[in-house]
Amino acid sequence: MSFAMRIQSPQTLPTPKESDFHPVNVEESVSTESSQVLSMPDHLIDFLKITNQRSQLQHESKDKSMATLPQVANYIEPLYDTFFCPLTKQIMDDPVTIENGLTYERKVITKWFKTFGHRDDIICPITGMKLTSKVLSTNVALKTTIEEWKERNETARIKVARTSLSLASSDNTILEAIIDLQHVCKRRYNKVKALSVGILPLLIRLLGYKDKDVSYEALELLRQLAEGDDEVKKMIANTVDVLALIELISSSYQEIRHASLLLLVELSRSQALGGKFGSAAGAILMLIRVKFNHHVDSFASEKADEILKNLETFPNNIKRMAEFGFLEPLLNHLTEGSEEVQMEMTSYLGELILSNDNKTYVAEKASSSLIKMVQSGNTVLRNKAFKALVQISAHHPNGGILVEAGIVKIVAETFTRGIYKELMDTKKEAAAILANILESGVEHDSIKVTSLGHGLSSDYVVYNIIHMLRNSTPGELNLNLIRILLCLTKSPESMDTIVNVVNESEASYTLIELINNPHEQLGIAAIKLLILLAPHVGNTLAERLCKTWGQPRSLIECFNETNHITEKQAVSAKFLAKLPQQNLTLNLALLNSNMVPSILRRISAIQRNGMKTSRHTTVYLEGLVGILVRFTATLYEPQILFLARTHNLTLVFTELLIKTSSDEVQRLSAIGLENLSSESITLSSPPLEKKTKSKKRFHLPNFSSSWSLETKKTPVLCPVHRGVCSPETTFCLIEAKAVERLLLCFDHVNNEVVEASMAAICTLLDDRVDVDKSVSLLSEINAIQYILNVLKEHKQEGLWQKSLWMIEKFLVTGGNKSVSDISRASLISAFHTGNDSMKQMADNILRHLNRMSTGPSSQFFK
């Protein structure tokens, strides 16, 4: 027996007779016990061995804790030997009296009776006398006395433990105090006492204690106090820092991790504390991490999952879980909850910023439910479902999932049913969903969106979309409508429909007016659609652009000379370049804006700084060069001719042929040189002769001509154009040194660049120029070899046709100089595979070659 139980003078207890109680002397008790064992029968000895082993395990830690708390000696209530069961030597909980008047612990004596096979054999374990009855009578007086003693004793022990905790005693003392409280608080009313004396704040303070055993036992005691008691949980909720408690689940000590999780399981069942998890920064995130680290600690994962499930009773916690990527609770409530819950979950879903993987997960799990909500009569729920679907559809791989779920027909009805009572936000979001799905690349031609079988590309649907575009004011809705139209232009059938509707209606004015919309992305989208429409209704767009107030000046004003190139600048330049180049109205409007000097400065800056200054640089540069090329298509206009001469466009395009990494810039530069060179024969007419003045003119028959008083200045003439040429005034390719650069482009891998370069060289073989001189000049720089390489390396009909035309020119004028270089195999291939024009040219060349060699031409075709 412990020192705490050794007392000097017992107090008199009220209920039993005083003669029945004697203070316990542990040493004497042990001695008596030993002597009694020697005289016990074997049956009793075996029974006591089993019973003592079990009871020893139950009370060992209790006795040890009491023995190591010296403070208890000052407060402990005295013990009496009648409190102890004669068999277990432990204080009885339920004392009962048997037939002969002796008192035992009910459980122990019951087990003793069961050891006998026949009731006639039952004896008293202490006296050995036979018992005729197994009736057990509760010793009420003794039981009451023991209960009162326990209550006073446990109250004293609680006070002692509180003192040890509050005085910050040694680690061992604190630990023993906590363990003793664990034993005491097994009785519910002792929990109340412990909490009433301020144990709770002391325990919470110990959660982060340096001694890990102390932290662990403190957690265990807190769980014991909270278990099954909502009031205690509420007290803990008002005292504990949730985040500090959560941090313990990441402890390096497994015991502390598990104990903290077990405590959190209890606390998470409380309405008072459950709501605090969502507001504690990072608390739910840490639980989610533990849940999904099953391979690291399966027990912790299981408990974290249990905690998260308990926390689902609070909508804010579900939202936090979803924010951290754990969407299952939100989706479960969204698909299975009441309409009110569905509305709340759908609202959360619409607000979340989901990763692409999570968007796909939501699409797979909740698309059907969201679509049902969209079809419901609840306007608010419908609107929230649309918002959620906007985000899900933004991830292109989800397009197929949503199409299969039937969303396209539903959102298309927003444009075709004329639902004027529909919320404007719903229209905007429906348009966004459809735009997202179409941008994902799903096949849409076969999708029917009306009861009459209209498809998305039908006149009916396209007309309704454009009608809504013309009659809607919100920028976001118009942006989404244009995105839909941009996607529909990828289909030839849809493009024809859009072109017809735009041409027949005032939609082109609407699109042009949207260019200057304050919503920048809307303006950019409108320009992109106009670019796609330009090849089909380009002149109409150009004329209407010039009739629109502030245009094309507002597009030109985008070309500010800042270092950063924006998408708006790039698409604006591209749009102006893509409109028909021969449109004089637009070209004069651009000329009058005095934009060319600015364009040349921007091109020079891009060449100086490189193409990587912005992701829009390439498109911007191509647009700027395309605008310059526009002017070369209307050189018959004197103002534009003057502009081309003033800014020496021939030299500009010549330099761009090699000082760029863009195929389109090279192609455009070659086109510009072709247009300029086409005017050279007209602009380089021979100059008039100018004579010097002479005071007297006469003839001497026998004198040398050197004596003449008349002198002449003979200008240097261009051998090809038969006049005075220069790059600036007549745009001569020869004087501009552009011929060699154009020939280098013949080896380009891009067919369009090759064809444009060949077209520029063809201007030097035009019947209006001196073809003999031109062929001679081209032969000197081995041009025929470049032409033959094109014939050999490329199979495009346009390139073959130009190549054959040029070869024929060379043969007609160049005689037999180039015969050895011409491949007859390529000509025969062109004869057999080309169109009628190519066949005729190939035949002419082969016949010409044959006449220059020997034998009839027919031998090539046998």
Side-chain angles (χ1 to χ4, degrees):
M1 196 62 64
S2 65
F3 171 79
M5 297 180 183
R6 274 185 254 138
I7 51 175
Q8 301 281 328
S9 54
Q11 297 178 359
T12 304
L13 298 179
T15 308
K17 296 179 182 178
E18 188 173 346
S19 59
D20 293 337
F21 298 100
H22 303 283
V24 176
N25 186 304
V26 180
E27 294 175 0
E28 293 177 1
S29 178
V30 171
S31 175
T32 305
E33 239 180 273
S34 301
S35 62
Q36 287 178 348
V37 169
L38 294 176
S39 59
M40 283 182 184
D42 293 339
H43 185 84
L44 179 57
I45 293 173
D46 293 338
F47 174 77
L48 290 178
K49 281 182 179 179
I50 296 172
T51 304
N52 286 334
Q53 284 173 358
R54 292 175 181 172
S55 61
Q56 184 177 359
L57 292 174
Q58 296 173 0
H59 295 82
E60 185 179 37
S61 58
K62 173 182 174 182
D63 294 340
K64 181 179 178 182
S65 66
M66 292 178 64
T68 52
L69 285 175
Q71 299 96 324
V72 177
N74 298 321
Y75 303 98
I76 201 71
E77 290 290 323
L79 280 168
Y80 299 91
D81 55 5
T82 53
F83 289 3
F84 294 90
C85 174
L87 294 177
T88 62
K89 306 302 180 184
Q90 293 174 2
I91 298 172
M92 291 181 285
D93 293 318
D94 188 6
V96 292
T97 303
I98 63 175
E99 180 184 349
N100 62 0
L102 293 181
T103 300
Y104 297 92
E105 176 66 51
R106 181 184 295 274
K107 291 180 180 179
V108 177
I109 196 63
T110 301
K111 287 180 181 179
W112 167 257
F113 287 164
K114 289 179 180 180
T115 61
F116 294 93
H118 194 275
R119 64 179 299 167
D120 294 337
D121 298 331
I122 298 175
I123 61 172
C124 174
I126 297 300
T127 63
M129 65 179 293
K130 285 192 176 185
L131 300 176
T132 60
S133 172
K134 294 197 300 183
V135 174
L136 303 177
S137 303
T138 302
N139 191 332
V140 178
L142 181 58
K143 185 175 182 179
T144 303
T145 303
I146 292 173
E147 287 296 328
E148 292 174 350
W149 176 87
K150 284 181 179 180
E151 185 175 344
R152 292 193 303 273
N153 183 56
E154 287 167 355
T155 300
R157 289 167 65 184
I158 290 170
K159 293 178 180 178
V160 171
R162 185 194 181 285
T163 302
S164 297
L165 296 179
S166 61
L167 293 177
S169 307
S170 67
D171 295 349
N172 286 337
T173 303
I174 294 174
L175 181 62
E176 291 156 4
I178 295 173
I179 293 173
D180 195 46
L181 283 171
Q182 290 174 357
H183 289 287
V184 170
C185 291
K186 288 178 181 177
R187 295 156 68 93
R188 190 181 182 285
Y189 60 82
N190 284 335
K191 291 183 182 181
V192 178
K193 290 181 181 178
L195 293 169
S196 66
V197 298
I199 289 293
L200 187 58
L202 298 175
L203 290 176
I204 291 173
R205 190 183 65 185
L206 296 172
L207 293 181
Y209 197 72
K210 59 184 178 180
D211 188 299
K212 303 306 176 185
D213 291 334
V214 170
S215 295
Y216 168 75
E217 297 296 347
L219 286 165
E220 285 290 289
L221 179 53
L222 282 171
R223 179 173 65 87
Q224 182 182 340
L225 293 172
E227 199 167 16
D229 195 323
D230 289 339
E231 285 300 318
V232 176
K233 291 174 186 175
K234 187 174 181 180
M235 293 173 65
I236 295 174
N238 294 332
T239 310
V240 74
D241 180 358
V242 174
L243 189 56
L245 189 56
I246 286 288
E247 287 175 352
L248 293 175
I249 69 176
S250 60
S251 171
S252 58
Y253 293 88
Q254 187 183 73
E255 293 82 0
I256 291 180
R257 290 201 304 272
H258 291 181
S260 59
L261 285 164
L262 289 170
L263 173 59
L264 287 168
V265 168
E266 283 298 325
L267 297 180
S268 63
R269 296 176 179 139
S270 166
Q271 294 294 311
L273 189 62
K276 289 189 174 182
F277 280 84
S279 58
I284 287 178
L285 176 60
M286 293 180 71
L287 287 168
I288 292 172
R289 285 178 177 172
V290 173
K291 169 185 166 57
F292 287 102
N293 279 337
H294 186 272
H295 61 286
V296 176
D297 190 334
S298 58
F299 177 85
S301 173
E302 179 185 336
K303 294 305 171 185
D305 182 57
E306 188 176 347
I307 295 166
L308 289 168
K309 285 180 180 177
N310 292 338
L311 296 180
E312 289 181 25
T313 55
F314 298 88
N316 190 52
N317 290 339
I318 296 175
K319 183 180 180 181
R320 291 289 175 268
M321 293 177 201
E323 286 174 352
F324 295 125
F326 184 36
L327 293 167
E328 189 174 351
L330 186 147
L331 298 181
N332 288 340
H333 285 76
L334 185 147
T335 56
E336 300 170 7
S338 63
E339 185 174 287
E340 184 180 352
V341 171
Q342 285 183 333
M343 190 180 303
E344 192 168 15
M345 295 300 107
T346 306
S347 178
Y348 287 162
L349 187 59
E351 296 170 4
L352 290 174
I353 300 175
L354 299 173
S355 67
N356 287 336
D357 288 344
N358 281 337
K359 287 174 185 175
T360 300
Y361 180 72
V362 173
E364 293 170 346
K365 289 282 189 179
S367 291
S368 299
S369 297
L370 290 170
I371 290 172
K372 287 179 182 177
M373 295 176 199
V374 165
Q375 294 174 300
S376 73
N378 188 323
T379 304
V380 178
L381 181 60
R382 175 182 169 87
N383 191 37
K384 291 183 183 298
F386 266 126
K387 284 184 178 180
L389 286 166
V390 168
Q391 185 173 189
I392 296 169
S393 63
H395 184 44
H396 288 171
N398 294 340
I401 299 172
L402 294 172
V403 169
E404 188 175 342
I407 189 64
V408 174
K409 183 177 180 180
I410 295 169
V411 296
E413 287 177 350
T414 312
F415 317 130
T416 58
R417 286 194 313 184
I419 312 175
Y420 295 104
K421 293 182 180 179
E422 191 77 71
L423 291 174
M424 189 56 68
D425 282 348
T426 301
K427 292 182 180 180
K428 176 186 72 176
E429 284 143 8
I433 293 166
L434 183 56
N436 289 340
I437 291 173
L438 293 177
E439 286 173 353
S440 72
V442 299
E443 177 58 44
H444 63 271
D445 289 337
S446 60
I447 301 175
K448 305 304 178 184
V449 295
T450 70
S451 58
L452 298 176
H454 293 109
L456 277 176
S457 58
S458 65
D459 291 1
Y460 176 69
V461 175
V462 171
Y463 176 82
N464 275 282
I465 292 173
I466 292 178
H467 177 74
M468 185 177 288
L469 178 67
R470 292 175 55 196
N471 293 280
S472 300
T473 53
E476 196 70 32
L477 173 58
N478 282 339
L479 173 60
N480 293 329
L481 293 173
I482 292 177
R483 288 172 59 204
I484 293 170
L485 293 173
L486 283 170
C487 293
L488 293 178
T489 59
K490 296 175 184 177
S491 164
E493 181 185 350
S494 303
M495 173 59 90
D496 292 342
T497 304
I498 294 171
V499 169
N500 291 335
V501 174
V502 169
N503 218 11
E504 295 170 2
S505 67
E506 300 299 311
S508 56
Y509 281 116
T510 302
L511 291 171
I512 291 169
E513 288 169 359
L514 289 175
I515 291 173
N516 292 329
N517 192 281
H519 192 306
E520 185 171 352
Q521 288 303 312
L522 175 57
I524 291 170
I527 295 172
K528 286 180 177 179
L529 182 56
L530 289 168
I531 290 170
L532 294 175
L533 294 172
H536 305 275
V537 288
N539 283 308
T540 300
L541 294 178
E543 295 296 329
R544 291 180 178 179
L545 178 68
C546 293
K547 291 178 182 178
T548 302
W549 185 85
Q551 294 293 1
R553 181 171 298 279
S554 67
L555 282 169
I556 297 165
E557 288 172 353
C558 288
F559 306 158
N560 58 72
E561 299 189 31
T562 60
N563 290 329
H564 181 68
I565 298 170
T566 65
E567 187 178 12
K568 181 73 174 289
Q569 289 176 320
V571 295
S572 296
K574 185 175 181 178
F575 175 48
L576 291 174
K578 290 294 182 181
L579 289 171
Q581 296 177 351
Q582 297 81 9
N583 191 286
L584 183 60
T585 304
L586 178 58
N587 289 353
L588 287 174
L590 296 174
L591 181 145
N592 292 331
S593 68
N594 195 31
M595 67 182 299
V596 174
S598 174
I599 289 176
L600 293 174
R601 285 194 296 271
R602 294 311 306 267
I603 291 173
S604 177
I606 291 172
Q607 289 180 316
R608 186 170 57 252
N609 299 326
M611 301 291 284
K612 296 182 179 180
T613 54
S614 166
R615 62 192 179 95
H616 306 297
T617 302
T618 300
V619 175
Y620 186 45
L621 177 62
E622 292 169 357
L624 295 177
V625 175
I627 294 170
L628 293 180
V629 173
R630 296 189 60 83
F631 296 115
T632 67
T634 51
L635 289 169
Y636 58 83
E637 167 60 44
Q639 296 180 68
I640 294 177
L641 178 62
F642 178 77
L643 178 144
R645 286 173 164 172
T646 302
H647 296 289
N648 197 358
L649 293 186
T650 310
L651 184 59
V652 171
F653 292 133
T654 301
E655 292 295 318
L656 285 169
L657 277 175
I658 59 172
K659 291 185 177 180
T660 183
S661 59
S662 167
D663 292 356
E664 180 65 8
V665 169
Q666 287 182 300
R667 186 187 73 84
L668 290 169
S669 299
I671 292 172
L673 290 173
E674 177 194 0
N675 294 339
L676 291 167
S677 181
S678 296
E679 300 297 322
S680 295
I681 188 64
T682 304
L683 299 174
S684 62
S685 57
L688 297 174
E689 294 183 353
K690 295 182 180 180
K691 298 181 179 180
T692 59
K693 292 181 180 181
S694 60
K695 294 181 180 179
K696 186 177 182 179
R697 184 175 182 180
F698 59 93
H699 295 275
L700 296 175
N702 297 321
F703 287 91
S704 170
S705 61
S706 61
W707 287 27
S708 175
L709 296 177
E710 185 182 63
T711 61
K712 297 179 180 179
K713 293 184 178 180
T714 304
V716 178
L717 301 180
C718 173
V720 176
H721 299 115
R722 307 185 189 95
V724 178
C725 280
S726 72
E728 297 87 353
T729 58
T730 65
F731 318 128
C732 179
L733 299 183
I734 299 167
E735 293 294 327
K737 309 298 181 187
V739 177
E740 294 87 345
R741 298 184 181 185
L742 286 167
L743 288 175
L744 289 175
C745 290
F746 282 26
D747 292 333
H748 205 288
V749 295
N750 188 315
N751 290 340
E752 293 182 349
V753 175
V754 177
E755 188 169 8
S757 302
M758 294 184 79
I761 293 295
C762 284
T763 61
L764 299 178
L765 299 173
D766 189 271
D767 291 339
R768 296 180 300 162
V769 304
D770 191 328
V771 179
D772 290 342
K773 296 289 180 63
S774 184
V775 168
S776 176
L777 185 148
L778 290 171
S779 296
E780 289 177 6
I781 55 178
N782 201 24
I784 190 65
Q785 191 59 54
Y786 287 100
I787 299 168
L788 293 173
N789 284 342
V790 172
L791 196 62
K792 179 181 178 182
E793 298 296 334
H794 296 272
K795 302 300 180 184
Q796 187 184 1
E797 188 173 296
L799 293 179
W800 274 34
Q801 194 160 356
K802 282 186 173 60
S803 299
L804 292 173
W805 184 85
M806 295 173 78
I807 290 171
E808 188 176 13
K809 288 285 185 179
F810 269 76
L811 286 175
V812 170
T813 59
N816 59 3
K817 297 178 186 178
S818 307
V819 172
S820 61
D821 293 328
I822 297 176
S823 169
R824 297 175 184 217
S826 297
L827 294 170
I828 294 172
S829 176
F831 180 83
H832 286 295
T833 61
N835 57 25
D836 292 342
S837 175
M838 288 173 60
K839 286 181 179 180
Q840 184 62 49
M841 284 189 287
D843 184 44
N844 291 340
I845 295 169
L846 286 168
R847 291 179 187 279
H848 192 92
L849 289 173
N850 189 52
R851 286 195 298 271
M852 295 173 65
S853 54
T854 58
S857 61
S858 59
Q859 67 178 331
F860 295 109
F861 310 108
K862 291 182 179 178

